[in-house]
Amino acid sequence: MIDLRSDTVTRPSDAMRAAARDADVGDDVYRDDPTVNELEARAADRVGTEAALFVPTGTMGNQIAARVHADPGSEVLLDPETHTFKWELGGLADLSDLQTRTVEPAAGAVFTPKQIHANVVDEDLHRPGTGLVVVENTHNARGGVATPPEALDAVAAAAREHDVSVHLDGARLFNACVALDVAPDRMVDAVDSVMFCLSKGLGAPVGSILAGSEAFVDEARRVRKLFGGGMRQVGLVAAPGLLALENVDRLADDHDNATVLAQGLDSIPGLSAPRPETNVVRVNSADAGLTAEEFVAACEDHGVAGGAFGEHVTRFCTHLDVDRGDVEEAVASVAEAVDDYSSGSM
Ligand SMILES: Cc1ncc(COP(=O)(O)O)c(C=O)c1O
């Protein structure tokens, strides 16, 4: 099976497994784990923040950030297609007593300053005030769209005028940086906190980083414990994370492979696949008479795994464990799948 369901399906390399085995560890709740300490220091350095915190998942990183930035009963302003709104089980409400206000971004995958001014509100006797703005880069559900730093600067500057913080869900931050040729510290310069995943595209088996100021990370460490994320000899998991940070530049290969994949799929009658900006390919199978679920099932029968992302839209992600040969084979197999379906043999 050529597994293109997500860039999370990668298997840890032999080097990562060896690094885990040999990691120097200690009790990280006591801050005694040298490998975690090194990962946090290197991660903070990479994104140019004062500090960083190792968290088990991207979801926990986003949820901790919201809890730290926003007061209970306040509102979080975010795009309805963000992971934090759509796919974190209502955690903002469930874990932190936060209400969401969703606004469709007017500028591709990010708000305009005008939208911030129009939707950030002060608390009064009747309405909750805005406690936080969340943005996502790359934007997964909008097709791996990479937003340039100037657009994030503009959002953050507008939010700052209202004294409201901005958290960046950068699960795939480095994909955006590589695609736009922007240094990570520049990309996150204006936001108040950023989460990025080591386990997406970069190949680590587990782990994400939440980064920001010293004061933010101190409080985030307390909330991580509150959410059950205080971990002990977790250097075993941080060690592969350190190696994952070395996999940033090769994301360009994933982007090139995604472009080849999209071009190949787009040339199959009945399918359309716009040119991707990063490693996320979205294929529409409506003209082939296939719902996304039917299309995914047909592809799977031909050895290619993807994920239904809408009525007729399927997502394929390129990653560390697929090369150009796999991508070419995937295109040929999907062509056969669609052909078999159209000729009624499925
Ligand atoms: C944009 C985005 N944010 C956050 C997450 C959550 O990461 P995790 O699966 O590690 O909780 C994901 C996961 O796919 C994601 O795509």
Side-chain angles (χ1 to χ4, degrees):
M1 185 69 73
I2 301 172
D3 194 347
L4 303 173
R5 286 172 301 164
S6 176
D7 48 6
T8 58
V9 300
T10 52
R11 304 294 170 98
S13 63
D14 288 345
M16 284 185 178
R17 289 168 196 265
R21 187 194 57 218
D22 298 338
D24 194 3
V25 298
D27 187 334
D28 182 50
V29 173
Y30 290 101
R31 315 268 314 254
D32 276 353
D33 191 305
T35 311
V36 174
N37 293 342
E38 185 185 346
L39 175 62
E40 292 180 344
R42 274 221 240 156
D45 186 53
R46 191 62 84 92
V47 290
T49 57
E50 285 175 4
L53 182 72
F54 186 47
V55 289
T57 65
T59 299
M60 190 188 276
N62 286 337
Q63 293 297 325
I64 291 173
R67 174 68 159 246
V68 173
H69 287 302
D71 290 334
S74 67
E75 225 170 44
V76 178
L77 177 65
L78 72 188
D79 165 3
E81 290 298 317
T82 49
H83 192 279
T84 309
F85 176 67
K86 222 176 165 179
W87 287 313
E88 296 185 11
L89 292 159
L92 297 177
D94 200 347
L95 299 170
S96 299
D97 291 334
L98 295 166
Q99 168 163 303
T100 50
R101 175 190 288 232
T102 55
V103 174
E104 202 67 27
V110 77
F111 300 127
T112 59
K114 199 169 157 196
Q115 286 186 298
I116 297 291
H117 294 309
N119 289 287
V120 167
V121 292
D122 288 332
E123 180 184 46
D124 68 17
L125 189 58
H126 305 283
R127 70 183 183 196
T130 310
L132 177 67
V133 175
V134 173
V135 289
E136 189 176 306
N137 197 18
T138 63
H139 198 304
N140 176 35
R142 295 194 183 276
V145 175
T147 295
E150 294 77 14
L152 299 178
D153 295 351
V155 166
R160 203 165 298 120
E161 282 183 44
H162 301 271
D163 228 3
V164 169
S165 298
V166 177
H167 170 67
L168 172 61
D169 175 347
R172 298 180 180 81
L173 173 75
F174 298 114
N175 292 88
C177 294
V178 167
L180 298 171
D181 195 18
V182 171
D185 56 345
R186 168 67 190 95
M187 186 64 93
V188 309
D189 198 24
V191 298
D192 298 280
S193 58
V194 59
M195 182 282 291
F196 63 87
C197 294
L198 301 164
S199 58
K200 291 182 184 68
L202 303 182
V206 180
S208 296
I209 296 290
L210 181 59
S213 68
E214 288 281 2
F216 170 81
V217 170
D218 282 350
E219 182 57 11
R221 193 177 296 279
R222 192 189 73 79
V223 175
R224 183 185 66 175
K225 189 75 168 67
L226 175 71
F227 287 177
M231 300 172 285
R232 303 297 178 175
Q233 285 70 23
V234 73
L236 292 183
V237 181
L242 280 163
L243 294 179
L245 286 176
E246 291 170 18
N247 284 335
V248 167
D249 290 343
R250 65 147 307 284
L251 291 171
D253 297 344
D254 294 346
H255 300 173
D256 291 345
N257 285 336
T259 300
V260 169
L261 179 64
Q263 280 165 348
L265 295 173
D266 196 57
S267 69
I268 297 170
L271 300 185
S272 61
R275 188 188 171 92
E277 293 187 20
T278 56
N279 68 325
V280 178
V281 174
R282 298 207 309 169
V283 191
N284 191 310
S285 53
D287 290 347
L290 286 157
T291 64
E293 289 195 359
E294 291 166 338
F295 178 66
V296 166
C299 291
E300 252 177 55
D301 283 343
H302 285 76
V304 180
F309 244 60
E311 199 185 344
H312 292 102
V313 177
T314 296
R315 185 186 79 163
F316 293 117
C317 286
T318 52
H319 52 76
L320 193 56
D321 286 0
V322 291
D323 60 17
R324 185 61 60 88
D326 295 321
V327 163
E328 284 162 0
E329 194 183 324
V331 171
S333 302
V334 173
E336 267 176 41
V338 173
D339 197 43
D340 283 358
Y341 186 87
S342 331
S343 60
S345 64
M346 289 192 66

